[in-house]
Amino acid sequence: MKVQERRRRDRGPKGRPLDDSALAEVQALLGDQPRRRDLLIEFLHLIQDEYRCLSARHLRALAEEMRLAQAEVYEVASFYDHFDVVKEDEPAPAPLTIRVCDSISCMLAGAETLLAELAGSVDPAAIRVMRAPCVGRCAGAPAARIGNREVDKATSQGLLAMARAGDTKVVVPSYTALEAYRAAGGYQLLRKVRDGAIAAEALIATLQDAGLRGLGGAGFPSGKKWEIVRTYPGPRLMSINGDEGEPGTFKDRVYLERDPHRTFEGALIAAHAVEAERVYFYMRDEYPAVLAILRTEIAALEAAGITKPGFIELRRGAGAYICGEESAMLESIEGKRGLPRHRPPYIAEVGLFGRPTLNHNVETLWWVRDIVEKGAKWFADLGKPGHPGVRSWSVSGRVKEPGVKLAPAGVTVRELIEQHCGGMAEGHEFKAFLPGGASGGILPASMADIPLDFGGELAKQGAFVGSHAVVIFSDKDSAKAATVNLLKFFSHESCGQCTPCREGTGKMVSLLEKAGALDEPALRDLETVMRDSSICGLGQAAPNPVNHLLVHFREDI
């Protein structure tokens, strides 16, 4: 026994040794913030922002400071795309990173050419050029981000000129700040709600009569969601899903860059109605300007006494599309990998930190004030018959005037193109469209008169509006090439938790790219397995464009 103990002592401590200087650096960055487990991702951001990467020595020091296993810190850091984990024998990333979006709208606008030009023009020791999934600037495709500067209609010459000039810092657009919002009547409705002039039951009834639904993807009736959350015993929490990662979607970014307090007021009214003790605002890291706005305006709300310090807590994503799924987002807020949870229980019952949680999309909350002030009928009548309400459509691709288009629920794609987007781009003939981003499927122009809304004829065609991202294709585009692009996105963004999605998405890409005739039986088998066995909507919806390619676009196979 003594010999075994001596041998164990001789081996020294297990694992990576602690670097005292790295520990001091981490402690300085964390300051007096509580070392809570749920703040792990926030602390990883602090280190990444300061040192441009997450070195092994800093990860070891962070684990020591937070009393966590090194493996636990590493598995979280390595899960997210925006964290650069650097091992002892690896070089740090180049001082400057240029991310070029290669998702569907940017592909149509020449992202591959842009990537090739940059790769042949930069010194990789000075500038790192990376492909990036959708960065939410589809109306300005091809889009890029140089440092923290977001760039529309990017060119290699322009990006290199910005790099030489050091023009890489975040640029915050002009927006309606707190003072201007209050001067125009903002937060008067919140005061009435808090004073008891409008009861929670009345708010819920108004939202239900208006037909307001969740506008992030699933379309669940908003008033019903408030009602359900209230049935579970407190304490309750609320989350705001700002992880707008569906390719082709950018409406939430536009609203937050213009009038963020409409979403804040809607959130505070909702939080009051369900008696939530705190609101967690989860915002994707791809939107540095929005993050800057939210930090500024949350501080302004606290200074004005509208919210107590810490009542709205901003949490920053780190580059993971899967965190747009509500339970994966809650896992991320808790400082973990963004792995979707098995359901039931649903988050309304067992959500954030195990508490009943109300979760809403940015745009859904943006409409609350107008609906309550102007009435349920006002909002419902903005839609077409049988389709209550108005929607914000992110339209991009082969149209003259892409952008966020306010149009009725039940509008058709043909109407969006002709009445809201100035028609097709010059020299292009309408061929196909995505009704709801990458996961909503791809339909031919012959179906452009189907009303766009949740359910109905669109659902019968195996498609859905989801986040209301409409991408238009022309006769110059290949439906197969578009499908490959979408499936590569899903393969990259699969969290890897379940085999059908993790392996199925990659296998679909390889089958689509294989030379010769498509192996359709294998594709159909994969589709069935993924739909029936995947844990969350990513794996279940990923086969949608493949299904439509085989059904509607035989000439492109």
Side-chain angles (χ1 to χ4, degrees):
M1 192 65 166
K2 292 181 179 179
V3 173
Q4 290 175 341
E5 290 177 356
R6 186 167 60 251
R7 285 176 179 171
R8 281 198 293 269
R9 288 198 302 270
D10 291 343
R11 292 192 191 113
K14 291 184 178 180
R16 184 174 286 112
L18 180 64
D19 183 321
D20 289 337
S21 63
L23 180 61
E25 290 165 351
V26 167
Q27 289 172 336
L29 284 175
L30 272 54
D32 59 359
Q33 296 186 70
R35 273 46 169 178
R36 298 200 317 263
R37 174 64 180 78
D38 62 288
L39 293 174
L40 175 57
I41 293 174
E42 296 299 306
F43 294 161
L44 290 170
H45 273 304
L46 290 175
I47 299 171
Q48 173 82 32
D49 291 345
E50 179 69 19
Y51 296 101
R52 297 184 292 105
C53 66
L54 300 175
S55 66
R57 57 193 287 271
H58 283 136
L59 288 178
R60 171 68 178 89
L62 183 60
E64 177 74 17
E65 184 66 11
M66 296 189 70
R67 300 295 186 265
L68 296 173
Q70 293 180 59
E72 191 172 358
V73 174
Y74 175 81
E75 74 173 8
V76 172
S78 59
F79 180 85
Y80 296 93
D81 273 1
H82 287 196
F83 291 139
D84 294 304
V85 177
V86 177
K87 298 179 180 179
E88 288 92 340
D89 56 347
E90 294 177 345
L96 179 64
T97 296
I98 298 177
R99 285 183 162 88
V100 176
C101 177
D102 68 353
S103 287
I104 190 66
S105 298
C106 289
M107 182 197 82
L108 298 179
E112 294 300 325
T113 300
L114 176 57
L115 281 160
E117 290 175 354
L118 286 171
S121 305
V122 304
D123 174 4
I127 299 177
R128 176 177 59 164
V129 177
M130 297 182 67
R131 291 177 176 271
C134 187
V135 296
R137 306 195 72 84
C138 317
R145 174 173 165 181
I146 178 168
N148 281 328
R149 174 75 184 269
E150 299 164 275
V151 181
D152 289 341
K153 299 189 182 303
T155 64
S156 56
Q157 298 91 337
L159 290 169
L160 293 174
M162 294 171 73
R164 288 191 294 270
D167 188 8
T168 62
K169 298 188 183 305
V170 61
V171 175
V172 177
S174 176
Y175 67 93
T176 302
L178 178 59
E179 184 177 348
Y181 182 76
R182 295 183 78 180
Y187 292 109
Q188 291 182 14
L189 176 60
L190 175 64
R191 188 180 68 248
K192 292 178 182 177
V193 170
R194 285 177 170 175
D195 289 345
I198 306 176
E201 292 79 8
L203 290 170
I204 290 170
T206 299
L207 295 185
Q208 290 179 332
D209 292 343
L212 180 66
R213 304 179 72 161
L215 299 175
F220 193 84
S222 300
K224 186 66 176 176
K225 185 180 289 189
W226 294 19
E227 189 174 63
I228 292 171
V229 172
R230 281 168 54 88
T231 64
Y232 293 106
R236 307 182 189 98
L237 296 172
M238 179 178 174
S239 58
I240 304 173
N241 191 340
D243 199 65
E244 183 180 49
E246 183 73 25
T249 314
F250 49 93
K251 60 185 177 63
D252 292 349
R253 173 185 61 79
V254 169
Y255 281 132
L256 292 175
E257 286 181 348
R258 293 177 181 173
D259 197 358
H261 285 282
R262 283 195 175 270
T263 292
F264 278 131
E265 185 165 14
L268 293 173
I269 290 169
H272 180 87
V274 301
E275 299 175 356
E277 292 189 344
R278 180 171 289 195
V279 176
Y280 290 83
F281 202 140
Y282 189 88
M283 177 49 56
R284 68 189 312 228
D285 197 39
E286 287 84 351
Y287 291 171
V290 170
L291 282 162
I293 290 170
L294 295 180
R295 291 188 191 102
T296 299
E297 297 310 311
I298 289 172
L301 286 170
E302 293 175 353
I306 295 173
T307 61
K308 295 179 180 178
F311 183 76
I312 300 177
E313 187 165 335
L314 180 62
R315 291 299 179 90
R316 179 179 167 190
Y321 164 75
I322 193 63
C323 291
E325 195 277 336
E326 61 180 13
S327 68
M329 180 193 68
L330 299 190
E331 290 288 301
S332 189
I333 292 174
E334 292 178 2
K336 306 171 188 174
R337 293 174 295 166
L339 302 180
R341 300 174 181 176
H342 291 274
R343 295 178 291 184
Y346 294 90
I347 70 167
E349 179 183 5
V350 182
L352 191 56
F353 307 118
R355 298 182 180 185
T357 301
L358 175 68
N359 178 59
H360 269 310
N361 162 262
V362 167
E363 189 199 352
T364 307
L365 295 169
W366 201 90
W367 285 111
V368 169
R369 175 187 165 189
D370 277 344
I371 290 172
V372 178
E373 288 183 342
K374 299 178 181 179
K377 186 176 185 303
W378 165 82
F379 183 79
D381 287 350
L382 293 176
K384 292 199 168 190
H387 304 277
V390 67
R391 307 284 171 75
S392 304
W393 306 88
S394 304
V395 186
S396 61
R398 307 297 193 180
V399 291
K400 286 182 181 177
E401 302 167 9
V404 175
K405 309 298 177 178
L406 206 60
V411 70
T412 68
V413 167
R414 199 176 308 280
E415 289 170 335
L416 281 174
I417 294 171
E418 296 175 357
Q419 300 175 18
H420 299 272
C421 298
M424 292 293 293
E426 205 66 40
H428 291 267
E429 293 184 14
F430 183 27
K431 174 180 177 176
F433 63 98
L434 304 184
S439 54
I442 177 170
L443 297 178
S446 61
M447 295 185 177
D449 295 312
I450 294 176
L452 297 180
D453 205 349
F454 299 103
E457 181 61 28
L458 196 63
K460 293 178 183 178
Q461 299 299 328
F464 53 80
V465 292
S467 61
H468 296 71
V470 178
V471 181
I472 306 299
F473 301 98
S474 78
D475 57 331
K476 304 291 193 299
D477 304 316
S478 162
K480 182 180 178 181
T483 300
V484 170
N485 178 281
L486 301 176
L487 264 294
K488 283 184 175 179
F489 170 81
F490 288 127
S491 180
H492 179 269
E493 294 299 324
S494 173
C495 73
Q497 180 180 191
C498 66
T499 303
C501 177
R502 181 184 66 244
E503 301 300 325
T505 51
K507 184 63 175 176
M508 273 191 164
V509 171
S510 64
L511 287 171
L512 289 168
E513 291 189 319
K514 186 178 180 180
L518 288 181
D519 187 345
E520 295 188 33
L523 284 168
R524 288 301 191 186
D525 284 347
L526 268 176
E527 176 186 357
T528 299
V529 171
M530 291 172 67
R531 291 193 193 282
D532 291 348
S533 308
S534 295
I535 291 174
C536 80
L538 193 157
Q540 295 162 12
N544 284 345
V546 177
N547 171 47
H548 291 144
L549 172 69
L550 299 178
V551 173
H552 301 299
F553 301 97
R554 305 296 306 182
E555 70 280 6
D556 285 3
I557 296 177

